[in-house]
Amino acid sequence: MEQEHLSPLVKEMRETFERFARAEWRKQTSFGIKSSEIRVLLCIKVLAAENGHGVNISDISRKLDVTSPTVTQMVKHLIHEGYVERAADPRDKRISLLGLTDKGDAAAQKAYERFTTIFSGLIETLGEEQSKTLVSLLNQVYQYLHHLDID
């Protein structure tokens, strides 16, 4: 479809989403690893705190809504870089559980603090009411786009 046939609002929305896709704040690497790998570290930290022990690939896959093979590749790299360690589940030796090393925990903590600072600043800028509205709208956008992926 040619650009001049788009309604102004469709054009503005597309351009806004494109800016978010290119946003540098979400692509920045920390500690020499990708932002997607930082999300895996944060996920392991949160899930391990919730369940009191290590987590498996499927736990991470479900939480982040990405495929297990994708998580497996990221975890392999994180293990190689010394951020994550693998151990046998004491209840079932066939199952591998993942946990953070001290290096991984430090990276996850720093990322958590960075995200907290970014989003706290955003809430301060927008105000509480607009922030709640933004969260609600973004959840609606996610549900709409997720529904499109399913169909």
Side-chain angles (χ1 to χ4, degrees), residues 61-95:
S61 177
R62 271 190 302 278
K63 181 85 170 172
L64 296 179
D65 198 19
V66 294
T67 66
S68 289
T70 300
V71 172
T72 299
Q73 289 306 310
M74 288 188 277
V75 165
K76 282 182 182 178
H77 184 250
L78 290 167
I79 289 170
H80 175 73
E81 294 297 318
Y83 292 97
V84 172
E85 57 192 1
R86 188 184 311 261
D89 185 337
R91 297 167 299 191
D92 185 344
K93 301 290 184 207
R94 297 169 297 171
I95 299 173

Side-chain angles (χ1 to χ4, degrees), residues 28-35 37-38 41 77-78 81 83 107:
Q28 291 174 345
T29 59
S30 300
F31 304 99
I33 58 177
K34 300 174 188 167
S35 59
E37 293 168 334
I38 293 287
L41 293 179
H77 184 250
L78 290 167
E81 294 297 318
Y83 292 97

Side-chain angles (χ1 to χ4, degrees), residues 102-120:
D102 289 343
K103 181 180 178 181
D105 191 56
Q109 186 60 39
K110 185 172 181 183
Y112 175 81
E113 289 166 4
R114 180 173 177 263
F115 289 133
T116 299
T117 299
I118 288 170
F119 291 116
S120 294

